[in-house]
Amino acid sequence: MRKLTRKEEEIMKLFWENGEMFVKDLLELIPEPKPHVNTVSTQVRLLESDGFLGHKAYGGSFRYSPIVTEEEYSKQSLTGLIKNWFGNSYM
């Protein structure tokens, strides 16, 4: 599992806090200045292709939901930090 960028992490936090959402619902939760809907949609699709989100189709729209929990991501991030910076030793 790769490390998320700051913007991707912000999007994932919104999914972790709110559960399943359409891109338009996600956009409403993002603070001003809001990015363009296409920008958000692209970021969501990238998160899906990387295995962080899944979707269900509703006609021509997709409702996305987190596949990776916040706890799983946090644990993986901490493990990677220890491995990369501390020679795989928490001591």
Side-chain angles (χ1 to χ4, degrees), residues 14-23 25-26 29 53-56 58 62-66:
L14 292 172
F15 275 105
W16 289 324
E17 292 168 1
N18 298 284
E20 294 183 343
M21 290 186 281
F22 293 97
V23 170
D25 300 325
L26 176 63
L29 297 172
L53 296 174
H55 78 266
K56 294 179 188 170
Y58 291 89
F62 298 110
R63 185 166 66 180
Y64 294 91
S65 59

Side-chain angles (χ1 to χ4, degrees), residues 8-83:
E8 289 172 331
E9 202 166 293
E10 289 172 9
I11 289 172
M12 285 304 299
K13 281 186 185 281
L14 292 172
F15 275 105
W16 289 324
E17 292 168 1
N18 298 284
E20 294 183 343
M21 290 186 281
F22 293 97
V23 170
K24 66 177 181 67
D25 300 325
L26 176 63
L27 193 58
E28 290 175 12
L29 297 172
I30 295 174
E32 295 290 342
K34 294 187 186 292
H36 192 273
V37 65
N38 291 345
T39 302
V40 176
S41 184
T42 298
Q43 289 174 319
V44 167
R45 284 194 315 272
L46 288 171
L47 286 166
E48 180 182 28
S49 70
D50 288 342
F52 289 94
L53 296 174
H55 78 266
K56 294 179 188 170
Y58 291 89
S61 298
F62 298 110
R63 185 166 66 180
Y64 294 91
S65 59
I67 293 175
V68 175
T69 67
E70 188 171 13
E71 293 78 23
E72 289 170 332
Y73 178 71
S74 296
K75 182 179 177 182
Q76 185 66 30
S77 294
L78 182 59
T79 301
L81 179 71
I82 291 169
K83 179 180 176 187

